[in-house]
Amino acid sequence: MHLARFPRIALGHFPTPLEKLENLTRALGGPNIYIKRDDCTGLATGGNKTRKLEFLVAEAIAQGADTLVTQGATQSNHVRQTAAAARKVGMTCHALLERRVGNMGDGYETGGNVLFDDLLKCHYEFRPDGVDMNAEALALTEALREKGRNPYFIPGGGSNTIGALGYVHAAQELVYQADTSGLKIDKIVHATGSAGTQAGILAGLFAMSTPIDVIGISVRAKRDAQIANVHKLAVATADMIGARGELPVETVEAYDEYVGPGYGQPTDSMVDAISMLAAEEGIFLDPVYSGKGMAGMIGLINQGVLKKGENVVFVHTGGAAALPAYEHLFTKQQRA
Ligand SMILES: *Cc1c(COP(=O)(O)O)cnc(C)c1O
C-alpha cells in the first residue's frame, strides 16, 4: 500500500502521541494499557474525524467543490470537525443534525458541539429522529447544486472508503510508533459507530500483514450488524489500497454490551469510565463514544478477555467537546 497515491491535505497534528496509562494500568490491575491520543488531532478540539477529512476534503478540492454537506446527531463531533475543515479550506459547511437523542439537558441543542458549529459558521438544520439522514443530506446536496453551488457530500461519520483511508494511515502510524519504541501490541480497543475507524484500522493492518486484534465497542448497532458494516467497508478499503486477498470476517470483533438503552443514552459504566480516566490520568472522554469505549475496555478486563501481561492500546477517538452538553450526568455524580 502506498497512501500518497490518494489526495490528502493537512488538517491535523500528526502523529498523535502513543502513551502509557500508568495510573489506569495500576488501578485496574490487568493488562498494560496504552492510549493513542486521536483526541489530540488538533482540528477545532480534535477527534477521529480529522484523519478521515484529510482525505475527504482533498477529494472535494480536487472536484472543485465550494461546499461540504454532511449529517450527524445533534452533538455530532463529525459535523463540528467537518465545519472546521470547511473554514480552513475556504468552503461553506451545510449540516443536518438528527434529533436522535431525547431527554437531554437544557444545553443539548445549543451547547457543546453545537456552540462550536455556530462559531464555525456551519449552516445546520435539525431533522427528527429516525429519518434516513444520508438520503436527507443527499437531497440537500442536490438542492444546493440547483442553486449554483458545487457541493461535496460526506456521509455520516465520514465513513466511506475515502474516509477510512484516514484510519489506514492511523494503523501505519501506530505500528511504526510501536516498532520504534519496542512495544508489542496485543490488542487495540476503541468505540465503533459509523464503522470507518475500525474498517480503516483493519484494512491497514491487513495490508501490512500485521495481525493485531481490533476490538470495536459498539455505541449503537447490535453486534452482528456492526460486524457486517465494518467488514463491508474494511473489504472495500483493503481492495482500494491494493491489499492482496479478502479480509476475513473473523478479524472483525465487536461487542454491543456497552450501548445501554441506545445511542447517546447514558450508562452507569460510561459515567464511571469518564470519571475514572479524568481522575487517574487527567484525560477527558465523551458520553457517546469514547466513554462507552473505555467502559467496554474496563468490562473486558474485568471479564478476563483482556489479560495481565498483554499490551492493549485504547484509541481515544475524541468527543470531549460534547461533555458540557451532558453536564447533568456528572453534576449528580460529583455531589453524590
Ligand atoms: C465518530 C466517533 C467515533 C466512531 O467512529 P466511527 O468511525 O464512526 O466508527 C468514536 N468516537 C468519537 C468521539 C466519534 O466522534
Side-chain angles (χ1 to χ4, degrees), residues 164-185:
L165 288 176
Y167 272 85
V168 172
H169 175 239
Q172 275 187 328
E173 185 181 296
L174 176 60
V175 169
Y176 178 78
Q177 284 174 317
D179 284 342
T180 48
S181 63
L183 171 69
K184 175 184 158 288
I185 301 173

Side-chain angles (χ1 to χ4, degrees), residues 239-255:
D239 282 348
M240 192 171 69
I241 58 177
R244 295 206 187 127
E246 168 135 343
L247 190 147
V249 71
E250 296 73 42
T251 59
V252 187
E253 282 180 76
Y255 287 82

Side-chain angles (χ1 to χ4, degrees), residues 174-261:
L174 176 60
V175 169
Y176 178 78
Q177 284 174 317
D179 284 342
T180 48
S181 63
L183 171 69
K184 175 184 158 288
I185 301 173
D186 295 300
K187 285 172 179 138
I188 296 170
V189 181
H190 67 87
T192 180
S194 67
T197 300
Q198 193 171 5
I201 293 174
L202 284 169
L205 293 176
F206 182 67
M208 292 186 285
S209 303
T210 305
I212 297 174
D213 282 358
V214 182
I215 298 174
I217 307 297
S218 178
V219 300
R220 190 177 187 189
K222 287 280 178 209
R223 180 177 177 275
D224 290 351
Q226 191 63 15
I227 288 176
N229 288 342
V230 171
H231 184 240
K232 188 168 170 226
L233 184 54
V235 166
T237 307
D239 282 348
M240 192 171 69
I241 58 177
R244 295 206 187 127
E246 168 135 343
L247 190 147
V249 71
E250 296 73 42
T251 59
V252 187
E253 282 180 76
Y255 287 82
D256 60 12
E257 287 86 347
Y258 303 90
V259 177

Side-chain angles (χ1 to χ4, degrees), residues 4-317:
R5 289 191 179 134
F6 302 95
R8 178 179 167 202
I9 60 157
L11 292 171
H13 303 165
F14 299 109
T16 59
L18 173 66
E19 297 164 345
K20 185 160 185 202
L21 296 178
E22 298 281 2
N23 300 337
L24 189 70
T25 296
R26 205 178 309 119
L28 293 172
N32 302 309
I33 304 168
Y34 294 80
I35 192 165
K36 176 69 170 153
R37 296 294 304 270
D38 273 16
D39 57 320
C40 298
T41 57
L43 181 68
T45 78
N48 64 340
K49 305 313 180 303
T50 302
R51 289 189 188 271
K52 303 175 180 187
L53 288 162
E54 292 206 314
F55 290 93
L56 290 161
V57 177
E59 190 180 69
I61 292 170
Q63 293 179 7
D66 55 22
T67 306
L68 301 178
V69 183
T70 197
Q71 57 92 359
T74 300
Q75 282 293 331
S76 171
N77 303 299
H78 164 68
V79 167
R80 183 239 317 147
Q81 287 163 85
T82 304
R87 296 326 303 168
K88 190 158 164 132
V89 300
M91 294 189 199
T92 309
C93 179
H94 284 256
L96 299 179
L97 300 179
E98 182 185 8
R99 291 192 160 114
R100 197 185 293 166
V101 185
N103 308 320
M104 285 296 141
D106 294 341
Y108 190 73
E109 288 195 357
T110 50
N113 279 306
V114 183
L115 166 66
F116 291 149
D117 295 341
D118 283 325
L119 285 172
L120 296 164
K121 301 209 179 301
C122 176
H123 300 254
Y124 56 84
E125 293 167 39
F126 288 96
R127 290 288 186 272
D129 175 34
V131 299
D132 181 339
M133 288 296 287
N134 277 335
E136 293 281 313
L138 277 167
L140 174 62
T141 306
E142 284 323 303
L144 289 164
R145 204 183 304 285
E146 273 163 29
K147 285 188 189 153
R149 308 298 295 261
N150 189 1
Y152 178 84
F153 166 73
I154 297 176
S159 286
N160 56 19
T161 51
I162 302 289
L165 288 176
Y167 272 85
V168 172
H169 175 239
Q172 275 187 328
E173 185 181 296
L174 176 60
V175 169
Y176 178 78
Q177 284 174 317
D179 284 342
T180 48
S181 63
L183 171 69
K184 175 184 158 288
I185 301 173
D186 295 300
K187 285 172 179 138
I188 296 170
V189 181
H190 67 87
T192 180
S194 67
T197 300
Q198 193 171 5
I201 293 174
L202 284 169
L205 293 176
F206 182 67
M208 292 186 285
S209 303
T210 305
I212 297 174
D213 282 358
V214 182
I215 298 174
I217 307 297
S218 178
V219 300
R220 190 177 187 189
K222 287 280 178 209
R223 180 177 177 275
D224 290 351
Q226 191 63 15
I227 288 176
N229 288 342
V230 171
H231 184 240
K232 188 168 170 226
L233 184 54
V235 166
T237 307
D239 282 348
M240 192 171 69
I241 58 177
R244 295 206 187 127
E246 168 135 343
L247 190 147
V249 71
E250 296 73 42
T251 59
V252 187
E253 282 180 76
Y255 287 82
D256 60 12
E257 287 86 347
Y258 303 90
V259 177
Y263 174 90
Q265 294 297 335
T267 59
D268 291 345
S269 63
M270 172 276 289
V271 173
D272 291 348
I274 291 179
S275 305
M276 187 171 195
L277 200 67
E280 295 290 345
E281 300 284 353
I283 296 174
F284 296 133
L285 299 164
D286 83 281
V288 183
Y289 296 98
S290 52
K292 286 185 179 173
M294 179 60 74
M297 189 185 75
I298 293 170
L300 294 175
I301 290 171
N302 291 337
Q303 288 165 39
V305 176
L306 303 173
K307 299 177 191 68
K308 211 174 172 74
E310 288 182 336
N311 295 321
V312 176
V313 175
F314 179 77
V315 181
H316 188 341
T317 44

